Amino acid sequence: MSSNIFSFHTFVQAVSGATGSVSAQLLTMPLTTSFTRAQLEDGRARKQGPLDTIIRIFQEEGLQGVYKGAVSTCLCIAVSNFVYFYSFHALKSTRKSGDQKPSTDLLYACIAGSLNVLITNPMWVVNSRLRMAGVNDNSVRYTGQLDGLLRIYREEGLQALWNGTKASLILVSNPAIKFTVYEFLKRRFAKGIALTANRAFVLGACATAIATLITYPIQMVQAKARNSPEQLALNKFALQIYRKNGLIGFFRGLDSKLLQAMLASGFMFLAYEKIAHFVFRILTLYHNK
């Protein structure tokens, strides 16, 4: 079993997933900035669409504003997806051949997601604040990930680095649903045939749309918790959102998030499948020499 978990095959899957995720994030970063501002920005027009928000940020802050926190975001995504893909495929490699069921995929996805959250949450706390630096009155400026990690630890304590962890653990359901639906759709519509780029993109986008619509209110609470220096219970953050904006407040930025998530996941699954296929094909040709 250990040889399967610590195998080159699992490592390639993890690197492919991380590379594909970073590539997709760079392509969709303006939309990421748009929905982040919609979730957290105070005192702004909240009825702007994704394109209007991006144009407004570009006019006020330039291209740097649209890509604020891009380095930190890509670093977080690379580490998170490496951990997630490695854990998920390592767990898959332990099951018996032919034992491919949605329930099993869901269990493995939840375990992989939980490991990912516990390991990388401090990085995401810093990233959330870097992306909002100078935007809200209570935002704090950091020079980068390491500076943010050290300053939060010194000024707010170790516990602050895991702000939003409870919401993140609940949100393990998001990638769990996404990967379970993706694996199901792949078995349903691509069984026995090559998974083309178009098919990988569509299947990934559809799986992500379902997961995002189900879990978005929790993402709103998580965003508030990560961006706040206050260490409140999740229900307190949820109550703040409800008091300010009502039920609609839990869906602020959903249009930008849904568009960004579908495009990013579509590109991510496309790149992931093609990179992994390319590497394994090269290795097969090498071993057949």
Side-chain angles (χ1 to χ4, degrees), residues 223-240:
K224 288 289 185 183
R226 280 177 170 171
N227 196 57
S228 174
E230 298 179 283
Q231 296 179 21
L232 304 177
L234 292 181
N235 64 314
K236 299 291 186 181
F237 285 110
L239 190 58
Q240 287 179 1

Side-chain angles (χ1 to χ4, degrees), residues 33-49:
T33 301
S34 176
F35 79 74
T36 300
R37 295 293 182 90
Q39 287 178 329
L40 299 174
E41 204 169 19
D42 295 324
R44 291 284 188 175
R46 294 168 181 171
K47 295 183 180 180
Q48 292 180 318

Side-chain angles (χ1 to χ4, degrees), residues 203-220:
L203 296 185
C206 289
T208 299
I210 293 170
T212 301
L213 288 170
I214 292 173
T215 63
Y216 191 76
I218 308 172
Q219 293 183 50
M220 273 296 303

